[in-house]
Amino acid sequence: MEVLSMEDVAKHEKDTVLFPDFSLKVYRQGVTAIYSSLNVRHVLLNMLIGKHSVTSGKIFVQNESYNINRRAYLAQIAVCFFEEGMYERLTIMDCLKFYQGLYQSKQTFEQVLQWTQLEDKTHTKVSKLTFSERRRVQFAKVLLQDAALYIFEEADLNVDLETKRVFSTIIQKLQENQKAILILTGNMENAISVADEVYRLDEKGLYKVEIDEGKDEDVKKEVPDAEEKEQTFKFHKIPTKINEKMVLFDPPEIDYIESKDGQAHLYIKGEAFPTTFTLNELEGRLHYFGFFRCHRSYIVNLQKVREVITWTRNSFNLILDDQAKSSIPLSKGKMAQLKEILGLK
Amino acid sequence: MTFSMKRVLAIFNKDLKDLSKNMFVSTSILMPLVLAAIYGRMAEDLSIESYYLVINLAFTMTATFIQCAIIAEEKEKNTLRGLMLSPATIPEIFSGKSLVAFLLSIVTIVVSSIFMEYYPENVALVAVAIVVSTLFYIALGTLLGLLARSVVEASVIIMPVVFLLGFGSFIETLMDKYPILHFAEYLPNLQLIEFATKVQAGSGLTDVWSHLSVITAWFLIVSFLTIVIFKKKEIDA
């Protein structure tokens, strides 16, 4: 049964398209993540809580719409904001008592405290908590609500390992209780680690991200040290230089990388940005994001590849899904590797 | 739409606890109390004006300022959004908050009156006037709280109110000099003094109802303005 249903929702801001119309359904027990830029995330969240009116398209939660019955709609959603205001001077217990009274919750404190691992902090003031512990208090707040749809905004960004663990337990508990979960994040790793379905939302629309492929690659690389793996993710933007300015790009934005005159150029929407890294360095850094060294002087973002064209038996080209439909050479030796990645023999 | 007393009490409890730990705001209660204690020790027999100087100060410093500060803080700390998304209705949220300011003002006024040894001739009648005035000052606090963006800003915009309504009895002396200021006698604080003076002189409800209705009118006007501003802010936000 579907809990959240978004139909042809779109947002334009002045002349720019934030995201074109898309439809999305989140079902009971489903965990869906939307990976997007900060801007898109804010707009989407504000639409979901009714702060921005939905100008084109419709949003329903349990068949309730904000415009028709505001209270019934809001009663169906529980939101855990990234920048949630908290009552700093109250202790955790007082906060929870307040939320319990406010939401008329039947959930017991013991249960919630146990799930959020806050049992030994109940008499600590909120202002004295660490960032991760505050996050867990916010999780506790959400758990005290009895909604159909739970929305988490950047729930496990910059938190410690314990909180990450708490977060995935909470998701599991909510799933067991027949709830639907929507995760809004700007961090692909977070999205992939907890969600069943991951989508990317940008000005081109809503795209489903295949999780399995990413997992396979992780296994293939066999990174034994979890810490080392995390560091790779923490520092994943690629710096480029334009005139005297430094511009940082998110790997998913990059279409492909070309080495020209001894310098690597990132291609983003048909524009080239020179970077100081060598192709070998980039290959190492971008491996996790589904980038593939398809040629001695090319690295391609596999997510963007639309077609593989065979010219002759020994010459291949990759056609990308970008505006210019760029064509990139694929070396003969690399074809076997690519087939392996694609799961073809 | 149902009005849930449980939710109101939850908000009331939370705000009371929060306030008791917020020294910056809660110490404002002390000012009228200290003044009352000094006045009570200074003179044997105080005039109605001095009693009401303290009571009016108590109104502005507790009812208005506390209400204004807790609403402004809720906005500043970004917690109002959570409240708005919760099942609590807007009347519930504001009643919970007003209840805190209401209770504290009544306590402050009763304690100050005991300190000053002020015993009205007709306690019931004065009590009604005090309650109606408290409602007016709380409504004013709500209005200012909606306008202020932070607690610091709240303590700044409260200043003119404290001067005009808290120390307002001084305007009377100016009124004789500048006839243009005569409209000031309709201010709720001066109306309350007039009311109390007449009650002290032994008048009954028939003589003083006009003052009471002026204060009620003030309350209604400010409440109306508050609702208008709230609606406007809600659309803007």
Side-chain angles (χ1 to χ4, degrees), chain A residues 77-79 103 105 140-147 150 179, chain B residues 85:
Chain A
I77 58 174
V79 192
Y103 292 102
S105 174
K141 178 191 173 188
V142 178
L143 286 172
L144 283 169
Q145 300 180 38
D146 186 27
Y150 288 76
K179 310 292 188 191
Chain B
L85 290 177

Side-chain angles (χ1 to χ4, degrees), chain A residues 49 51 70-71 74 81 83-91 94 98 101-104 125 141, chain B residues 4 6-7 10-11 14 17-18 21-22 73-74 77-79 81 83-89:
Chain A
I49 62 169
K51 213 170 155 193
R70 182 176 160 267
R71 301 212 72 79
L74 288 180
F81 292 100
E83 283 167 337
E84 177 94 65
M86 297 182 81
Y87 299 103
E88 307 278 336
R89 282 181 292 267
L90 296 184
T91 63
D94 288 336
F98 168 59
L102 194 64
Y103 292 102
Q104 315 267 295
K125 278 186 190 176
K141 178 191 173 188
Chain B
S4 157
K6 271 193 193 151
R7 283 198 286 264
I11 295 171
K14 185 268 293 174
K17 267 182 217 151
D18 195 41
K21 289 172 187 165
N22 185 352
E73 185 172 25
E74 204 73 65
K77 296 269 168 69
N78 215 355
T79 46
R81 174 176 65 179
L83 276 183
M84 290 296 178
L85 290 177
S86 77
T89 59

